[in-house]
Amino acid sequence: MDLLPRIENARTLLADGRLANEAAVSSGVVLPLLDALGWPVFDPSAVAPEYSVGGRRVDFALLHRGKPVVFVEVKQPGHGVGADRQLFEYAFHEGVPLAVLTDGATWHLYVPAMQGSYDERRVYLLDLLERDPTESAERLQRYLEWSAITSGEAFERAREDYQRAKQRRESRAALPAAWAALVETADPRLLDTLLAEVESRSGFRPEPEDALGFLAGLQVPSEAQPKRLPRTPRVRPPSPQTAEPEFISESSAATSTPTPDVHPEGDGWRWKGVFLPEGTELRASHRGRHYEAVVRSGSIIYDGQSYRTPSAAGTAVTGTSVNGWIFWSCRKPGQRGWVLLTSLR
């Protein structure tokens, strides 16, 4: 079977909540995808389950010529937070150049030998539920296809992508100082461009000092602004009902700033074709604790704060990015049962 049908099947299993544990994720998602990527999944000399590393075990080791070249750590859906440290320890111990952490939906691809934090050494974060299946297939083939791994091309691509991401971070960090220098020195290129644009719009050329005063009052790029620490979530007593699993994703940050895709309404909340009427209840589970939110005045209200997306509200709970569509379950007014948000899409 080709890779695309395997990805579509994985998306269905994940959206339906049919992968309740690591074994289900391994058999329902990881091994079928590896098989479609060319790995002989029934050959333990190539795909070794429960690979021993320093007295512990990594879920899968992908081997070439008898040596592990990729470690794959599998977690229950929504329970991958903090597992990157464990995976890095495994990879360092064996000198493995590429490491993968997945809960079936999200695939974190790392180059452990590079410098920086865990996030900085992650070359790509793939979300099977959020990304287009064709794009997901291209990314999996880029980093994990058998032929790319055994030829060494996958490692070169990962290192190149790491270097590009590093350069981008450094260039973003330099933006505030560069902007300040242009304004402080009254750079003629910047000033002339602004004066000409104002003249074309108003018919009058402003005084240079007015333009400089305006430029000096502009805010620097957002990277220079102090980062807000995540709020400590308010813990609610455990509910006797079974909550839906948490989920990690490269989604919206925990902020109440509206996004262009959101169309709040007075009688409910709507986003990307999903409508939740006023009073819809939401619930989620994170690290054994249960959390609740509600739809009010076109927003999702959690812990007294208003959020425009389910991912933003979920991030407020966990302190890290999550895919809100499968983090939250909802129950509309008048309904008795709970369903995952993603099932409404």
Side-chain angles (χ1 to χ4, degrees):
M1 184 182 289
D2 294 336
L3 183 56
L4 270 176
R6 297 283 177 92
I7 291 174
E8 294 285 7
N9 185 62
R11 285 160 57 95
T12 299
L13 294 174
L14 289 161
D16 291 346
R18 291 157 60 186
L19 304 176
N21 51 48
E22 295 176 12
V25 172
S26 295
S27 62
V29 178
V30 176
L31 288 176
L33 292 185
L34 289 176
D35 180 52
L37 289 165
W39 286 94
V41 294
F42 299 110
D43 182 357
S45 68
V47 180
E50 297 295 316
Y51 187 84
S52 179
V53 181
R56 293 182 289 179
R57 296 183 182 275
V58 64
D59 291 315
F60 293 99
L62 307 185
L63 298 99
H64 179 53
R65 296 176 179 173
K67 294 183 178 181
V69 288
V70 181
F71 278 164
V72 181
E73 186 71 6
V74 182
K75 294 299 178 184
Q76 179 181 345
H79 287 73
V81 176
D84 46 8
R85 179 183 297 275
Q86 171 182 303
L87 180 60
F88 270 60
E89 290 176 0
Y90 294 155
F92 283 136
H93 191 279
E94 295 290 318
V96 171
L98 191 63
V100 179
L101 172 63
T102 181
D103 62 359
T106 54
W107 292 66
H108 304 252
L109 294 107
Y110 299 97
V111 281
M114 298 293 105
Q115 296 179 336
S117 66
Y118 294 152
D119 283 345
E120 289 171 346
R121 283 179 279 181
R122 182 176 60 199
V123 295
Y124 198 75
L125 173 56
L126 172 64
D127 188 330
L128 293 183
L129 288 172
E130 291 291 327
R131 301 280 181 176
D132 178 80
T134 300
E135 181 184 352
S136 297
E138 292 172 352
R139 286 295 173 170
L140 289 172
Q141 290 169 333
R142 177 174 178 80
Y143 300 115
L144 292 177
E145 194 167 42
W146 179 85
S147 59
I149 292 289
T150 55
S151 67
E153 291 181 14
F155 308 129
E156 288 302 319
R157 294 167 183 166
R159 282 191 285 266
E160 290 171 1
D161 292 345
Y162 164 83
Q163 291 296 338
R164 278 196 292 269
K166 182 174 181 290
Q167 292 167 1
R168 185 176 180 184
R169 287 194 302 271
E170 292 174 352
S171 65
R172 283 202 306 261
L175 281 172
W179 175 256
L182 287 173
V183 174
E184 184 177 357
T185 60
D187 188 285
R189 296 167 298 176
L190 177 65
L191 191 58
D192 288 345
T193 299
L194 178 59
L195 294 177
E197 182 64 22
V198 172
E199 185 175 14
S200 70
R201 291 174 177 271
S202 68
F204 301 96
R205 192 173 183 85
E207 294 296 325
E209 55 267 27
D210 292 337
L212 286 173
F214 167 77
L215 290 173
L218 293 179
Q219 293 182 345
V220 297
S222 59
E223 283 78 4
Q225 301 296 329
K227 294 184 177 180
R228 296 171 55 189
L229 295 175
R231 295 183 303 104
T232 302
R234 182 175 65 188
V235 178
R236 301 183 184 276
S239 166
Q241 298 163 314
T242 301
E244 300 296 341
E246 63 189 81
F247 192 86
I248 306 174
S249 173
E250 194 174 49
S251 303
S252 305
T255 171
S256 56
T257 304
T259 68
D261 291 324
V262 179
H263 305 286
E265 300 179 357
D267 59 348
W269 173 90
R270 187 186 303 277
W271 187 33
K272 295 185 177 179
V274 175
F275 176 71
L276 300 180
E278 188 83 358
T280 297
E281 302 170 80
L282 294 94
R283 72 178 186 184
S285 176
H286 179 63
R287 295 185 177 179
R289 295 174 176 173
H290 300 268
Y291 300 86
E292 299 172 359
V294 66
V295 171
R296 297 288 185 210
S297 302
S299 297
I300 296 173
I301 307 299
Y302 164 69
D303 197 19
Q305 299 293 317
S306 173
Y307 298 94
R308 296 301 191 187
T309 69
S311 295
T315 300
V317 171
T318 66
T320 187
S321 296
V322 298
N323 181 336
W325 291 98
I326 64 173
F327 180 80
W328 294 104
S329 294
C330 72
R331 181 170 64 183
K332 296 181 180 180
Q335 294 183 343
R336 300 182 63 181
W338 293 82
V339 297
L340 281 175
L341 277 181
T342 189
S343 68
L344 305 178
R345 300 175 76 177

